[in-house]
Amino acid sequence: MIGALIYAVAINYFLIPNRIGEGGVTGLTALGYYTFSIPPALTNVVLNGILILIGFKFLKRETGFYTLWAILWISLFLRIPVFFPYHTDQTVIAAISGGVLMGIAMGLIFRAKGTIAGSTILAKIINRYYGIRNGSAMLFFDLTVAIPSGLIIGFQNMLLTVLELYISAVVLNKYLEAFGAKRSVLVFSTQNQAIGEALTSNLGQGVTMLKATGFYHQQDTDVLFYVCSNQDWTVVMPIIMSIDPKALVVTDQIRSVRGMQLSNL
């Protein structure tokens, strides 16, 4: 609901008052408003209803229901009268502000296991089956609507729309990476047993011990494998270094973890 509110504010207060378009279904709602004065809330419900049916087929039912919930609230918030629309001659400010708000709004909704339908449903499907980041996939689909919109809103506003879409995609990717991505950790140490016990007791999460063989000396050794959130990462390194300051630690950013729960590793 908070994400839906921020999304509606971005449209009603920053984009529409400055005649800036959008991508996907939202872009079509803006074009319908500019051209035929069709209420954005009506277009939003009709077009997104079709895409939600597609989402139910390719995504989890939970995602479909949360998407429907988000769309209903976005449509409701779009109907609230606009009291202080942001009009400015420096329309790039409106494009940047709208893009940041859009990215934050979609990040909140994505983190709550929903989408805003439109291109975000297509982006979710692409992310699920091909691993492409949500923001990047969404940007691709949005541009297919935003670029032709220049025929209606003008070339300058089309460029501003592309800028807004790019900013929202970057903010969305960064938001999901900060709050949803994981880190994988490989630890090479003679104290791996103690490090594993410390990580488990402090973070309440399972650790995996792998068998490895050093190529040069042909010696068998244990390698500790651990997956953690970015928030926990700030605690993981101090724990490892406090037990073995000479430990070799290799980390990598991973976008998602599926399957067995981490606590069962």
Side-chain angles (χ1 to χ4, degrees):
M1 290 171 62
I2 294 173
L5 175 60
I6 296 173
Y7 191 86
V9 168
I11 294 175
N12 281 342
Y13 283 80
F14 290 93
L15 302 186
I16 289 181
N18 295 282
R19 204 172 172 78
I20 298 173
E22 244 293 322
V25 169
T26 305
L28 294 176
T29 63
L31 293 178
Y33 177 79
Y34 297 145
T35 308
F36 304 108
S37 298
I38 301 175
L42 175 62
T43 314
N44 186 60
V45 169
V46 173
L47 294 180
N48 279 324
I50 298 172
L51 288 170
I52 287 174
L53 295 177
I54 298 175
F56 272 110
K57 180 176 178 60
F58 292 98
L59 299 174
K60 296 179 180 178
R61 288 293 180 91
E62 182 184 36
T63 301
F65 284 119
Y66 280 128
T67 296
L68 181 60
W69 180 254
I71 292 304
L72 291 174
W73 279 104
I74 289 174
S75 298
L76 176 63
F77 288 135
L78 284 173
R79 293 182 63 87
I80 297 176
V82 179
F83 299 103
F84 303 104
Y86 182 71
H87 293 284
T88 176
D89 293 332
Q90 303 294 325
T91 47
V92 68
I93 299 176
I96 293 173
S97 301
V100 171
L101 290 176
M102 285 283 193
I104 294 173
M106 289 185 289
L108 288 169
I109 293 172
F110 274 42
R111 284 282 292 153
K113 301 180 181 180
T115 74
I116 57 170
S119 60
T120 61
I121 279 187
L122 301 177
K124 271 277 190 182
I125 294 172
I126 294 297
N127 174 259
R128 180 178 182 182
Y129 290 99
Y130 298 100
I132 299 174
R133 292 193 295 179
N134 287 288
S136 302
M138 186 185 65
L139 178 60
F140 170 78
F141 291 115
D142 283 344
L143 289 177
T144 62
V145 173
I147 293 177
S149 71
L151 298 173
I152 297 175
I153 63 177
F155 182 72
Q156 176 176 300
N157 282 9
M158 182 271 287
L159 293 179
L160 290 172
T161 299
V162 172
L163 173 63
E164 180 267 323
L165 291 173
Y166 175 76
I167 292 173
S168 66
V170 170
V171 171
L172 173 60
N173 282 336
K174 294 297 183 183
Y175 185 96
L176 295 178
E177 287 175 1
F179 295 100
K182 304 288 184 180
R183 283 181 180 266
S184 63
V185 184
L186 285 174
V187 183
F188 299 82
S189 169
T190 57
Q191 304 295 322
N192 272 344
Q193 191 67 38
I195 293 173
E197 292 175 358
L199 290 174
T200 302
S201 61
N202 282 276
L203 299 176
Q205 192 167 291
V207 179
T208 299
M209 298 292 287
L210 306 175
K211 294 294 184 181
T213 303
F215 178 79
Y216 186 77
H217 294 290
Q218 293 296 307
Q219 293 182 348
D220 294 336
T221 184
D222 291 326
V223 177
L224 186 150
F225 178 72
Y226 187 69
V227 177
C228 65
S229 65
N230 282 335
Q231 291 89 333
D232 289 341
W233 170 243
T234 58
V235 180
V236 169
M237 279 303 293
I239 291 176
I240 297 173
M241 292 298 102
S242 67
I243 297 174
D244 184 3
K246 296 182 179 180
L248 173 62
V249 182
V250 181
T251 67
D252 194 14
Q253 191 86 32
I254 53 180
R255 295 175 184 171
S256 65
V257 177
R258 295 182 176 91
M260 185 182 296
Q261 294 183 357
L262 297 179
S263 58
N264 294 331
L265 289 176

